[in-house]
Amino acid sequence: MDPNLLYWRTEGQSFFSRVRTWFSLLDPALLLASDPEIQKAHSLLAGRLEELGQKVSSGSAASAEQSDADSVFGLFASQVVASLLPHSTVKPALFWQFLLQSYYAGFNFAHRNRSSEQTGLRQLLLVAGTVSYAACAGALPQIFVNRLNITSPPVQAFLRSALPVPLSAALAFFSVFTIRSEESETGVQVFDQQGNLAGVSKAAGKQAVRETALSRAALFGATAAFPNLLLLLLKRTRLFQRNSLLAAPVRHVSTALVLGLMLPVSFSLFPQLGTIKREELEEELQAGAAGGHLFYHRGL
């Protein structure tokens, strides 16, 4: 049996256990961990899997996965913060949206389910089109303010504070749904309870893409919403009324904090090892679902 399959079946099906795992993986303090500490953590993981009858292939995998996990937050945080700022002109809004959507599209593409590798011109055009469309759509609030010469404070507040919340969530969903559309069209591999390959399922592919897209919508929607709500409350206090310059650093710090908290939470909303019921599978795969369901790797 695949060790990853066994691990997520035993440890990854509880939401709180998944949150705990992702918080550990994305802990910035682990960047300072020494090689002996990494090897010790790997030994503990190896011992746990051996108790379950499995082996871990390489000690370097622990440090590699930690490096990959920490890099997720490195470039991502600055781009998210900059893209959510109220800009004075359209050009910087488009620039930061383009950087964010490019990084986000690359992340979605790199962490898709790779059951059927068919990367070609169509997929590359799909990625480029998704980035271009999402960048322009993400800058729409600033485009409206500048092109329509909106000077009304309530309307500006709506466009710069309220509209980015559903817009960010919708664009996050859209990016995953389009860039990983190949999984819905060609299917992903599904496995039985023993980890044996049962076949390729389009229904499982659609479910994997939908779950991932919803988790991304939650991540970006919450990251856009909470800092704006916090500023709305703080601006009513005397401290902020007397010191309006405090708004910018509070926005930056709160956005980064919410993003840092929501990243592991969003990754944990659905199990990495997804399950699909027998009746939702294609007819030719239903016979292999001995336990009433099959498993698939959702991607990230």
Side-chain angles (χ1 to χ4, degrees), residues 9-290:
R9 278 182 57 189
T10 56
E11 302 290 344
Q13 293 302 312
S14 164
F15 170 74
F16 291 105
S17 69
R18 296 194 298 269
V19 170
R20 185 170 61 251
T21 297
W22 279 112
F23 266 109
S24 298
L25 285 173
L26 297 173
D27 184 1
L30 294 182
L31 288 172
L32 305 177
S34 62
D35 288 341
E37 290 174 326
I38 293 175
Q39 291 298 329
K40 181 180 178 181
H42 175 264
S43 299
L44 292 175
L45 176 61
R48 173 57 177 150
L49 289 178
E50 285 176 0
E51 289 176 6
L52 299 170
Q54 300 301 320
K55 295 181 179 180
V56 181
S57 60
S58 172
S60 62
S63 58
E65 287 213 4
Q66 177 58 47
S67 176
D68 289 342
D70 289 322
S71 67
V72 171
F73 193 77
L75 293 174
F76 199 43
S78 60
Q79 294 173 0
V80 171
V81 171
S83 66
L84 291 175
L85 291 177
H87 300 282
S88 57
T89 61
V90 173
K91 287 183 179 180
L94 281 172
F95 173 77
W96 285 110
Q97 281 292 332
F98 179 78
L99 286 185
L100 173 64
Q101 298 301 334
S102 298
Y103 181 86
Y104 181 48
F107 181 88
N108 291 333
F109 183 75
H111 293 84
R112 69 196 186 282
N113 185 302
R114 304 187 184 187
S115 296
S116 56
E117 285 288 352
Q118 298 181 1
T119 304
L121 180 61
R122 177 183 177 273
Q123 185 66 42
L124 295 177
L125 290 175
L126 188 61
V127 171
T130 301
V131 170
S132 300
Y133 177 84
C136 293
L140 278 178
Q142 190 63 48
I143 293 174
F144 288 154
V145 171
N146 285 75
R147 294 294 183 263
L148 300 179
N149 294 320
I150 295 176
T151 58
S152 172
V155 178
Q156 283 194 2
F158 170 78
L159 291 174
R160 289 177 167 172
S161 298
L163 182 58
V165 176
L167 184 60
S168 298
L171 291 177
F173 185 97
F174 167 78
S175 182
V176 174
F177 199 78
T178 54
I179 290 176
R180 293 181 55 175
S181 60
E182 181 183 350
E183 297 170 40
S184 302
E185 297 171 359
T186 63
V188 298
Q189 293 179 346
V190 288
F191 306 86
D192 61 20
Q193 290 183 333
Q194 302 303 316
N196 301 314
L197 179 63
V200 176
S201 171
K202 293 183 180 179
K206 292 178 181 178
Q207 183 169 305
V209 173
R210 181 175 63 253
E211 290 176 348
T212 306
L214 288 173
S215 69
R216 292 293 196 283
L219 168 64
F220 279 85
T223 303
F226 289 144
N228 287 333
L229 290 175
L230 177 63
L231 280 177
L232 182 64
L233 296 175
L234 291 178
K235 285 181 178 179
R236 297 179 179 181
T237 65
R238 291 183 178 179
L239 177 63
F240 272 71
Q241 290 174 355
R242 295 175 180 175
N243 303 275
S244 59
L245 295 178
L246 290 175
V250 168
R251 182 190 296 273
H252 297 172
V253 173
S254 61
T255 301
L257 287 176
V258 173
L259 178 65
L261 292 173
M262 280 301 301
L263 200 60
V265 171
S266 67
F267 285 169
S268 307
L269 289 179
F270 301 97
Q272 285 296 112
L273 183 67
T275 59
I276 183 168
K277 296 179 181 179
R278 175 188 296 160
E279 56 269 20
E280 297 175 354
L281 289 162
E282 293 83 346
E283 292 184 3
E284 63 270 20
L285 296 175
Q286 292 182 1

